[in-house]
Amino acid sequence: MLWAMTSFRVAILALCAATAACGAVEPADLLLLNGRVYTMAWGEPDGEGQLADDAPVSEGQWRPEADAIAIRGNRIVFIGSSAGAEAYRGANTIVKDVAGATILPGLIDSHVHLSELGATLDRVDLVGVETEAEIVARIASRAAQVPEGEWIEGWGWDEGAWADRYPDMRLLTAEVPNHPVVLRGLHSFATWGNQLAFDLAGITAATSAPTGGAILKDASGRPTGILTNNAARLLTDAVPPPMPDQLLGRIRDALDTLASSGYVAVHEAGADSAVMETLRRLDESEWLKVRVYRMLAGRDAALLDTWQVREPERTAS
């Protein structure tokens, strides 16, 4: 279990709380008690990977540096014992007994693609599904939840385990006729689609497979619904980019997932105009839960031209 802190300041009021000379202590907003706190404030390992002398390790075992934290606003004001943290308990203080959970400073990822993470979260999860019928049922359930004509993407059906019994598009098309469907395989060796997706991608009996790929066809020469290796791009390239509100939902979901996993900041590696606009909308709505450092996408020439004449944006803190 990981609790993410918006700021991790080790040298703050820890000693002050334990001394009467400091006088009355202003109550904290949140107390985390009975945890295993690691500040990560010790030195870096040496070039051989040996731990620094001040790392909290005894006889090869890590030991927590404290078992409680007090937080006021977005600052940690106490790190120490659960008994010492009681000085910060007030009438309105939220107190959580984390029951031995590990508490670490918030994580920072130096290279993420938020829209891709959001798209992954949005795809129908097919990992471990053993039958074609169950997969089609999952896709049909998603189709009932989204507007007609919207592309549905899935991922995770095991094309390796199914190599001698690949499905075709007949059942998928019959159950989901009005949404183009693209289902990527678990190992990226095969992609499966329905008739509408093949129609929109322009894949017909006359379509030639690219080098390094294959379009599986039936006895009459018609595509069965399975594309392998490089031929998968014939179908995946037809998936349109998300609409603005769809992209906003994906990035919001991605940031939700990162925040709940303990991340407090990420570096978006290659934000194009659409991603930049989406992050602006989220920021203006005061919704952003994770600090985002944005690196402009070099492929977006218009975006680069715009930013050449303006200064970088920075937050105040």
Side-chain angles (χ1 to χ4, degrees), residues 216-250:
L216 302 194
K217 297 181 180 180
D218 62 20
S220 65
R222 293 175 298 185
T224 66
I226 298 292
L227 308 173
T228 64
N229 298 312
N230 288 344
R233 294 200 302 268
L234 297 174
L235 193 57
T236 57
D237 286 353
V239 180
M243 298 297 288
D245 284 347
Q246 186 179 23
L247 180 61
L248 185 144
R250 287 181 176 180

Side-chain angles (χ1 to χ4, degrees), residues 58-113:
S58 299
E59 299 180 353
Q61 298 294 317
W62 289 91
R63 65 178 188 277
E65 300 166 276
D67 59 25
I69 286 179
I71 302 168
R72 186 184 306 120
N74 65 350
R75 290 290 183 268
I76 291 174
V77 294
F78 172 86
I79 301 171
S81 69
S82 291
E86 289 296 330
Y88 289 85
R89 186 192 289 260
N92 298 315
T93 301
I94 297 172
V95 180
K96 292 184 177 292
D97 185 332
V98 301
T102 297
I103 302 175
L104 302 173
L107 303 175
I108 298 174
D109 195 316
S110 62
H111 188 125
V112 302
H113 300 283

Side-chain angles (χ1 to χ4, degrees), residues 129-163:
V129 180
E130 296 184 355
T131 68
E132 176 184 1
E134 185 179 349
I135 284 179
V136 172
R138 290 192 183 189
I139 302 305
S141 177
R142 172 62 64 87
Q145 301 170 25
V146 299
E148 188 171 297
E150 183 173 309
W151 285 73
I152 296 174
E153 297 182 74
W155 172 84
W157 66 280
D158 195 338
E159 73 273 46
W162 292 20

Side-chain angles (χ1 to χ4, degrees), residues 172-189:
L172 185 59
T173 298
E175 295 298 320
V176 190
N178 300 318
H179 295 77
V181 178
V182 177
L183 308 178
R184 295 173 172 86
L186 179 64
H187 309 288
S188 301
F189 299 143

